[in-house]
């Protein structure tokens, strides 16, 4: 791959030397096995400008355009991850880009060293790509006010700590969305891509961003969307965390637990996964809901029958389920299912397990086998790719998942009763505003963080017209939160993306 600078590269949208480093442009090609594709790549910073024409943040991106020159009317997809505080490296090097980090075919992390390999399932044959790192993630940083005319952030002592402090202004639900909207609008202007069919793709909290941006971009920015892709999305936050009094979380999570128990041979013996999940979903909508609603008012014999059925579906002892009143939390389930093997299930992909280093302690004190296990893979992969392969020059650390941003994230609303985080209304608004916009929801069966049953429930409540229903598609994949780590699911996802962007 060549990474030489080209003066006429329209994909490079920097207004000049970046405050945070030196970007790069180059060319490459990848082979899908049936065809070879040349592409142009640009990795650089784009400054957000306030009303006083002063830069407030410098957002890092990596863009790909197919062919030897830019086709201004080709589909263009902006993609980002979630967290909040996560960089785009997961989707970039896991699913969409022309190169990816190598996983085993079943999605597990291989033994080192980390390898970057051609991605035959890249989305690039279908759509040009812009991988965005939100402010505070990756190499993106907020810019503190300038003290002097010639001062630059990268040259000043303590610059990283000052940019993190300045980043707090962007670590808020509304400000974050506005920064992404501003980036997209500015990018389209600087690259001449206003006539391209525009798509958004976001994973996890990035899915929440996509749903909200479907309204913001089209309603406030005048940017029509050809389609939106929500991968393992957190759309309605009321279902993400459970308590003693709610219903949604427990109902939505239960079928994913049943999927995990089936995967590990603890439930549904002899049944295909689909049949086991049909039974689990019917139970969640019926007996489980009855148990959760009636609680101790349920007759003892009826309670015992429901608990027994629940145990058969998720593979836990009846005593454990009865003691919890049917409210089995993620951590309790992940620790209990394979406790006899001293194995702990991953929250983001319960088909993946790791050793529980402290099995005799009351709470789990070990790493998550998925999120913690994959972090070195993506961190080393993205640093090698950007710094060595592409030649990006910066002193900044690439924050794969900024815990500073994550822990500082805020939600500012005018009244206490407006505090609920929800995005489905905005998605429905965007669909009403643009009846031609396609919507794709993607979930992994073994994801306990954003469980697949959320889509089953929410899509039934959207009050869509028959025409709108033809524009919305829900797909389920073998795997967890990042189901594209598995070869089969990554290939299936690429096929679905090609259909959506057609």
């Amino acid at each position: 791959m060549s990474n030489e600078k080209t003066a006429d590269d329209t994909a490079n949208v920097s207004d000049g030397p970046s405050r945070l480093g030196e970007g790069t442009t180059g060319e490459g090609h990848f082979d899908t096995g049936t065809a070879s594709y040349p592409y142009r790549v640009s990795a650089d910073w784009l400054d957000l400008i306030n009303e006083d024409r002063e830069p407030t943040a410098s957002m890092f991106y990596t863009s790909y355009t197919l062919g030897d020159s830019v086709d201004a009317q080709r589909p263009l997809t902006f993609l980002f991850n979630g967290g909040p505080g996560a960089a785009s490296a997961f989707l970039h090097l896991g699913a969409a880009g022309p190169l990816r980090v190598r996983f085993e075919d079943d999605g597990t992390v291989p033994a080192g060293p980390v390898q970057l390999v051609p991605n035959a399932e890249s989305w690039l044959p279908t759509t040009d790509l812009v991988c965005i790192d939100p402010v505070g993630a990756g190499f993106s940083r907020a810019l503190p006010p300038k003290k002097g005319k010639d001062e630059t952030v990268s040259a000043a002592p303590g610059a990283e700590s000052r940019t993190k402090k300045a980043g707090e202004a962007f670590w808020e639900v509304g400000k974050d969305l506005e920064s992404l909207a501003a980036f997209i609008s500015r990018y389209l202007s600087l690259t001449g891509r206003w006539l391209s069919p525009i798509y958004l793709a976001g994973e996890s909290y990035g899915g929440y961003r996509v749903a909200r941006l479907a309204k913001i971009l089209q309603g406030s920015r005048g940017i029509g969307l050809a389609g939106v892709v929500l991968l393992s999305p957190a759309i309605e936050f009321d279902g993400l965390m459970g308590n003693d009094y709610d219903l949604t979380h427990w109902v939505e999570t239960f079928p994913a637990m049943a999927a995990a128990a089936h995967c590990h041979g603890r439930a549904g013996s002899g049944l295909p996964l689909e049949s086991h999940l049909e039974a689990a979903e019917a139970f969640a909508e019926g007996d489980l809901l009855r148990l959760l609603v009636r609680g101790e008012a349920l007759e003892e014999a009826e309670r015992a029958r429901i608990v027994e059925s629940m145990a058969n579906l998720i593979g836990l002892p009846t005593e454990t389920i009865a003691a919890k009143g049917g409210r089995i939390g993620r951590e309790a389930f992940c620790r209990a299912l394979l406790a006899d093997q001293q194995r702990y299930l991953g929250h983001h992909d319960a088909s993946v397990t790791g050793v529980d280093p402290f099995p005799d302690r009351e709470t789990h004190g070990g790493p998550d086998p998925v999120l913690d296990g994959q972090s070195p893979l993506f961190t080393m992969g993205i640093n090698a790719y950007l710094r060595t392969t592409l030649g990006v020059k910066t002193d900044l650390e690439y924050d794969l998942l900024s815990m500073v941003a994550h822990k500082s994230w805020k939600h500012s609303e005018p009244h206490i009763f407006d505090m609920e985080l929800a995005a489905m209304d905005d998605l429905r608004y965007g669909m009403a505003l643009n009846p031609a916009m396609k919507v794709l929801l993607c979930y992994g069966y073994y994801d306990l963080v954003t469980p697949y049953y959320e889509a089953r429930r929410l899509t039934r409540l959207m009050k869509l017209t028959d025409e709108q229903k033809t524009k919305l598609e829900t797909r389920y994949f073998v795997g967890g939160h990042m189901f594209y780590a598995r070869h089969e699911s990554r290939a299936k996802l690429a096929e679905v993306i090609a259909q959506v962007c057609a």
Side-chain angles (χ1 to χ4, degrees), residues 24 34 71 103 171 187-188 246 291 308 313 350 358 410 435:
T24 185
T34 59
D71 180 352
F103 284 89
W171 299 337
Y187 184 93
L188 294 177
D246 81 339
L291 175 63
E308 181 70 24
L313 288 167
F358 312 111
K410 296 178 177 60

Side-chain angles (χ1 to χ4, degrees), residues 365-389:
D368 182 282
V370 177
L371 199 60
D372 294 326
Q374 291 182 358
S375 289
L377 188 68
F378 281 102
T379 299
M380 297 179 75
I382 193 67
N383 274 284
Y385 179 58
L386 295 177
R387 298 179 191 273
T388 304
T389 304

Side-chain angles (χ1 to χ4, degrees), residues 90-115:
F90 297 98
L91 282 177
H92 181 182
L93 293 186
L99 291 176
R100 63 175 177 84
V101 291
R102 189 181 77 83
F103 284 89
E104 300 293 354
D105 285 350
D106 63 358
T108 56
V109 176
V114 174
Q115 296 180 45

Side-chain angles (χ1 to χ4, degrees), residues 170-320:
F170 292 87
W171 299 337
E172 186 272 326
V173 173
K175 297 293 180 58
D176 168 69
L177 293 169
E178 182 57 30
S179 69
L180 288 168
F183 176 98
I184 291 170
S185 178
R186 189 159 164 75
Y187 184 93
L188 294 177
S189 293
L190 292 171
T191 59
R193 297 299 297 266
W194 281 98
L195 295 182
S196 296
I198 304 301
Y199 295 83
L200 304 180
E203 181 181 52
S204 194
Y205 185 78
Y208 171 84
R209 286 167 165 151
V210 166
R212 294 289 305 274
L213 287 170
K215 178 180 180 180
I216 293 170
L217 287 176
Q218 299 187 120
S220 302
R221 292 271 179 175
I223 300 175
L225 298 175
V228 294
V229 180
L230 294 80
L231 300 111
S232 306
I235 307 178
E236 296 286 303
F237 277 58
D238 64 337
L240 296 186
M241 304 299 294
N243 57 53
D244 288 347
Y245 316 108
D246 81 339
L247 307 174
T248 306
H249 172 76
W250 313 106
V251 171
E252 287 188 352
T253 308
F254 181 82
M257 292 181 177
H262 182 275
C263 174
H264 295 292
R266 297 301 171 98
S269 178
L271 290 176
L273 176 62
E274 291 76 11
S275 299
H276 185 62
L277 292 183
E278 285 180 8
E281 290 172 17
F283 177 85
E285 296 171 359
D287 281 346
L288 176 58
L289 195 56
R290 179 177 169 81
L291 175 63
L292 296 173
V293 170
R294 299 206 61 192
E296 294 181 357
L298 200 64
E299 294 183 1
E300 185 175 343
E302 181 73 353
R303 177 195 295 267
R305 180 189 67 78
I306 293 175
V307 167
E308 181 70 24
S309 297
M310 192 171 180
N312 291 334
L313 288 167
I314 64 171
L316 296 188
T318 55
E319 296 81 5
T320 300

Side-chain angles (χ1 to χ4, degrees), residues 468-502:
Q468 286 178 316
K469 289 177 181 178
T470 66
K471 301 297 181 182
L472 185 144
E473 185 175 3
T474 305
R475 291 295 189 98
Y476 305 99
F477 299 81
V478 175
H481 201 66
M482 292 170 281
F483 54 82
Y484 48 78
R486 294 173 179 251
H487 177 266
E488 180 181 353
S489 295
R490 186 171 59 253
K492 181 180 176 183
L493 176 62
E495 292 177 1
V496 177
I497 293 295
Q499 295 169 10
V500 170
C501 295

Side-chain angles (χ1 to χ4, degrees), residues 60 75 127 168 170 223 242 289 317 349 360 412 465:
F60 188 79
T127 172
E168 293 179 2
F170 292 87
I223 300 175
L289 195 56
D349 186 342
D360 54 342
S412 300
T465 66

